[in-house]
Amino acid sequence: MKFKNPPVNSLSLEFLTEFVISLEKLENDKTFRGVILTSDCPGVFSAGLNLMEMYGRNPAHYAEYWKAVQELWLRLYLSNLIVVAAINGVSPAGGCLMALTCDYRIMADNPKYTIGLNESLVGIVAPFWLKDSFVDTIGHRAAERALQLGMLFPPAEALKLGLVDEVVPEDQIHSKARSVMAQWLAIPDHSRQLTKSMMRKATADNLIKQREADIQNFVSFISRDSIQKSLNMYLEKLQRKKG
Amino acid sequence: MKFKNPPVNSLSLEFLTEFVISLEKLENDKTFRGVILTSDCPGVFSAGLNLMEMYGRNPAHYAEYWKAVQELWLRLYLSNLIVVAAINGVSPAGGCLMALTCDYRIMADNPKYTIGLNESLVGIVAPFWLKDSFVDTIGHRAAERALQLGMLFPPAEALKLGLVDEVVPEDQIHSKARSVMAQWLAIPDHSRQLTKSMMRKATADNLIKQREADIQNFVSFISRDSIQKSLNMYLEKLQRKKG
Amino acid sequence: MKFKNPPVNSLSLEFLTEFVISLEKLENDKTFRGVILTSDCPGVFSAGLNLMEMYGRNPAHYAEYWKAVQELWLRLYLSNLIVVAAINGVSPAGGCLMALTCDYRIMADNPKYTIGLNESLVGIVAPFWLKDSFVDTIGHRAAERALQLGMLFPPAEALKLGLVDEVVPEDQIHSKARSVMAQWLAIPDHSRQLTKSMMRKATADNLIKQREADIQNFVSFISRDSIQKSLNMYLEKLQRKKG
C-alpha cells in the first residue's frame, strides 16, 4: 500500500478519509493478511498533519479533521492485519504517528531522513494517545525528552532509541519489508491477533473513552489566537523556504 | 531447590502442586531467606506447561490446571524469599514464566539454550499477567514483538534484551548463583521485602482481582475445537520428532 | 541555583523550606525561564534526607518533615521552569530524588561520585512516588533490582542505565549545563510546559491524591522501634567514621 499525496504526503482530510477506506477494504478482503506502508513521494514518507487543515478554518472543520486523525490512528493501531512500515523518507509528527502504529518499522539508511514527534517546535503538543504509543515504544524517559525538545532522529539514532526496528540501505528497503512480512505471516493469525490486541487494548481504550473530549480539547487549543499566530509564522517560514 | 520432573520438567498439575507446597515449607521455615531455582534435567530448565493437561480433558480439569498455574506464578512472584534463577537449559513458555518471577536471572552460556514466551507459535496466547511481568522486564515494545512472533532467545540475545541479568559459563552457573545470593542476603530482609512488594503489587493485584475470569477465559479458549486441533497437530509433530 | 547546607547539603527541614520558597520566587519572576541545580559543597551534590529529622523526634515532627519532602518533590517535578541538574558530587537517596525531578541530568565524570536510591541499605524504603519517577526514568526491571539492593552507581554506569543523560569532565559541568539550558530555552515555553505536564501528571497525581495517607504511613513506619534502632546503628557508624 503505497500512499501518494504529492508533494509531501501530508495528511489532509481527504487523504485521511481515503486511507481509512482503503485500509478497511483490505481488512475485509480475507485474501490479505498484511500490508506494507511506504511512500511513493521521493524523500518523504509523510510530512505529517496538513497545517492548512488547522489554520484559518472554523471549529466544525477542526473537529472533523481531528476526528479523522484519531480514526486513522485507531484503525492502523488496532488493525488485524500485519502492518509493516518501510520508511523511505522524512517522517516527522504525523508521519511518525503512522510508523508508531505498525508492527515493525524498517527505515532507509539515509542521514537526511529523520523521524520523530516535533510538535513542540511548531508550538503545538502531541495528543496524549500518540504520547502513550511513543512511551510504549521508546520508554518514558526518552519520550519525555524527545517530546519536550521536539527531536527528530536520523536512522542510526532512531534505531538505537528503538524508534525503528531496523535500518537498511535505501535500495533494499522494499525487499527487506517483504522478507519481514514473510516472517510475520508464518505465525498463526488468531494467536498473533489476540496477542496484538492484548498488548494494545489499554492504550487504545484510553483514547476511545475520551475521544469526544480530545476533539473538544484540540478545537479549543487550535482556535486560540496565539496558536493560530504560531502556525501563521511557521507557514510563512515554509513559504519563504520554497520561494 | 532443584526441580526434577523427567524428562523435561514440564509443569504437570502434580508438579505444580508439589512445587507450591515445597515453596510454602521454605517460606515458613525461618532458617531460609532465599532459594535458587535450577533444574536437575540435563539441557532443560523447564519445557513449560504440560500440553497433556490442556488436550482432550474436560472443562473442570482445565479450570483446576489453570488455577494451579496462576498459583505457581503468584507464590513465586510475591515470595518473601530471595528467588534466584539458575537457568541451565532451554526455558520456553512456562519455563520463562518461572524465570520471570525471580529477583535475579543467571543463564548458562550455551547457544542451544533459549528462553522466551513462544505461545503464539503453538496457536495459544500468553495470559495477561504473564504479559505484564514480561513488559515490566524487557519493556513494552520488545515484549510486543517477542510475544507476537513467539520468539525464543539464545543467552547473548536474552542478556542484551534484559530478559536475563547475567550469562556465565555452564559449569559456573551454580557457584555464580550462590555468590549472587550472598549479595542479596546482605540487604536487611524487611526493607528488601517491602521494596519487592511495592514494585510488584500492582501487577499481582491485576491477576488477583480477575482470577476467576481469567480461569473461565482459559477454559473456554482451550476448549475450542480449533485450539484442540492446533494442540493435536503440535503434539503429533513432537511425537514424530521423538519417534 | 547553587544550594549550600554544609557540610553535605543534607535535606533538613529548614533547608527544604527555604529551597521551596526560593524556587517559588523564581517561578513567579517572569524573567526566569530555567534553573540549574548544583551544589556549592565540594564532592557532595546532596547527601539526601537528614537522618536527624527522622530519629528520636515525635510523630508531629515526622509528619511535618515528610510533608516538606513531598512538597520539594512536587514543586520540582511539576515546575514550569526548565530544571537542569549539574550533579557535581555524590548523590544518594534524597540527592537522587532531586536529580530525578529534573528535565536533564549532567554528572561530573568522577568515579568517586555515585548516584542512586540506597534506602533499603539503611533499612528504610523509598516512597512509592519516588519509585514511580525512578521507574519512569530507568525502566521497571532496572528499578526493581536497584531499589531492592540499594545500589549506588558511578557516572559511567548511571549513564548506561539512563539515570543521568550525560557525563562530562568535572571542570566542564557548569559550562555544559549552560549550553544544555540554551538548547531547551529555544523551545516555545507554552508547548514545552504542556508537554512536560502531560508526561508527568499521572505520576504526580498518584501522590497528590494519597498525600495524607503517605504521611501517616511514613510516621508509623519511622516511629517503629526496629526502624529507630536501625537508624541509631547507622548514625553511630557514621559517627565512628568521622571520629
Side-chain angles (χ1 to χ4, degrees), chain B residues 44-94:
Chain B
V44 184
F45 179 67
S46 163
L49 299 193
N50 190 329
L51 298 185
M52 299 311 295
E53 306 278 9
M54 296 152 68
Y55 175 70
R57 306 288 189 108
N58 61 41
H61 182 81
Y62 298 145
E64 189 187 358
Y65 183 58
W66 198 246
K67 193 170 187 180
V69 173
Q70 293 173 333
E71 190 68 16
L72 172 81
W73 184 78
L74 282 170
R75 291 295 185 113
L76 276 173
Y77 188 68
L78 295 177
S79 177
N80 266 329
L81 298 168
I82 300 159
V83 189
V84 171
I87 306 163
N88 56 346
V90 296
S91 187

Side-chain angles (χ1 to χ4, degrees), chain A residues 103 136 165 190-191 199-200, chain B residues 120 123-124 126 140-141 144 148:
Chain A
D103 293 305
D136 283 348
D165 298 301
H190 75 277
S191 53
M199 292 303 297
R200 300 188 167 197
Chain B
S120 78
I124 58 176
H140 193 280
R141 168 57 192 155
E144 186 182 280
Q148 283 203 62

